[in-house]
Amino acid sequence: MSIQRKGLFWSVTENPDTPPQTPHRKGSLRSFLRWFLIGVAVLWSLAALILVAARWIDPPTTAVHMERRLQARIDHTPYHERYEFVPLSQISPDFQHAVIAAEDARFYQHHGFDWHAMQIAAEDDMEGGRIRGGSTLTQQLVKNLFFGTGRSILRKGAEFTLVPVAELFLGKQRILELYLNVVEWGPGVYGAESACRYYYRSSARSIDRQQAAQLAAILPLPLKRRPDHMNRYSGLILERMRQMGW
């Protein structure tokens, strides 16, 4: 700002070095936010359409599968993928029940979210105890298909909006079929059929009750656990199956 004298009056003029205030920056921010929201909406719509199509089409791969391939390439480690999709009718009922008992006991009662299990998980976390997972099979399926193993608030928010789509369009039996076929059961091992052949040289149809419970027991940490080391936890799963009438 400069001050100039003109006769008997003083006048104030703007300093030419001061840049004028323009709405350009605000406009750019609005434009960025608009396109960001449009991109999010497009991606969500695409994911929802994939879920609807999954009612009839078996997924050729998932985000977890692709993540593991990429990790192996980055780390220069050998990677052999075993992934064979089979109908639910070719998976032993004992195997189906063991997974439900281990991962989502109220699978047939809830509509995608088990609020009671999530409350227990949150309380355990706040008390500093061992963190218990509160995710349902539907939530885990959505995460496997689209988000991989990473954790973030944005991923969790997107997952929560897609779970009702899965419940509405897929139904419980198809959700269970998809989950059992895509879930990770070991290094490069995906799905019930591949897991049974990898660990027991058996088919998912022929696996016995004890073996089913042992396989279900490794699901929380499939890269760190082995079925033959899970006798104690598999015993708890078998007891839970008995309590549920299976």
Side-chain angles (χ1 to χ4, degrees):
M1 180 183 297
S2 63
I3 302 176
Q4 298 176 351
R5 183 176 180 180
K6 295 183 179 179
L8 298 176
F9 300 97
W10 294 84
S11 64
V12 179
T13 61
E14 293 294 332
N15 190 325
D17 295 333
T18 304
Q21 296 296 320
T22 66
H24 177 70
R25 185 173 298 175
K26 290 183 179 179
S28 298
L29 180 59
R30 288 196 200 99
S31 179
F32 170 78
L33 288 175
R34 182 171 63 251
W35 284 107
F36 174 77
L37 292 175
I38 290 173
V40 169
V42 169
L43 290 174
W44 186 92
S45 300
L46 179 60
L49 286 173
I50 291 173
L51 276 177
V52 174
R55 180 168 182 170
W56 303 279
I57 302 172
D58 301 334
T61 188
T62 72
V64 172
H65 299 188
M66 292 186 284
E67 179 183 338
R68 297 306 188 205
R69 283 191 221 111
L70 181 60
Q71 287 176 344
R73 183 169 297 182
I74 292 174
D75 297 336
H76 302 287
T77 56
Y79 178 79
H80 175 62
E81 183 172 297
R82 300 169 178 84
Y83 176 43
E84 182 180 353
F85 200 105
V86 297
L88 193 62
S89 60
Q90 294 184 22
I91 300 175
S92 161
D94 282 335
F95 200 176
Q96 299 177 36
H97 295 156
V99 170
I100 293 173
E103 293 292 292
D104 187 1
R106 299 185 66 251
F107 175 65
Y108 289 112
Q109 283 74 51
H110 63 66
H111 299 288
F113 302 102
D114 189 344
W115 304 109
H116 179 65
M118 286 191 280
Q119 181 182 1
I120 293 175
E123 289 173 354
D124 286 351
D125 193 10
M126 291 176 63
E127 291 172 2
R130 183 179 179 182
I131 299 175
R132 296 177 56 188
S135 294
T136 64
L137 293 188
T138 313
Q139 289 176 266
Q140 293 181 50
L141 173 63
V142 169
K143 181 182 176 182
N144 266 270
L145 289 175
F146 302 114
F147 304 110
T149 61
R151 294 184 179 184
S152 71
I153 295 177
L154 288 176
R155 190 274 298 170
K156 202 68 177 176
E159 175 192 302
F160 265 65
T161 62
L162 288 169
V163 163
V165 178
E167 286 279 332
L168 178 63
F169 287 98
L170 297 178
K172 292 296 185 181
Q173 292 304 101
R174 181 58 172 167
I175 288 172
L176 180 59
E177 181 177 64
L178 288 166
Y179 176 82
L180 288 172
N181 275 287
V182 304
V183 69
E184 186 176 40
W185 247 296
V189 182
Y190 305 100
E193 184 71 15
S194 299
C196 291
R197 296 194 180 280
Y198 180 72
Y199 290 110
Y200 296 117
R201 302 292 189 268
S202 174
S203 67
R205 186 202 297 268
S206 304
I207 191 172
D208 66 35
R209 192 176 178 87
Q210 177 66 37
Q211 292 169 337
Q214 289 176 333
L215 279 176
I218 72 171
L219 279 177
L221 296 167
L223 299 183
K224 296 182 179 180
R225 295 179 176 177
R226 290 189 59 84
D228 53 354
H229 295 164
M230 303 304 298
N231 291 331
R232 181 175 177 275
Y233 185 30
S234 65
L236 295 175
I237 293 172
L238 288 170
E239 177 59 29
R240 196 177 301 170
M241 291 169 66
R242 284 190 287 269
Q243 292 173 357
M244 297 171 73
W246 291 333

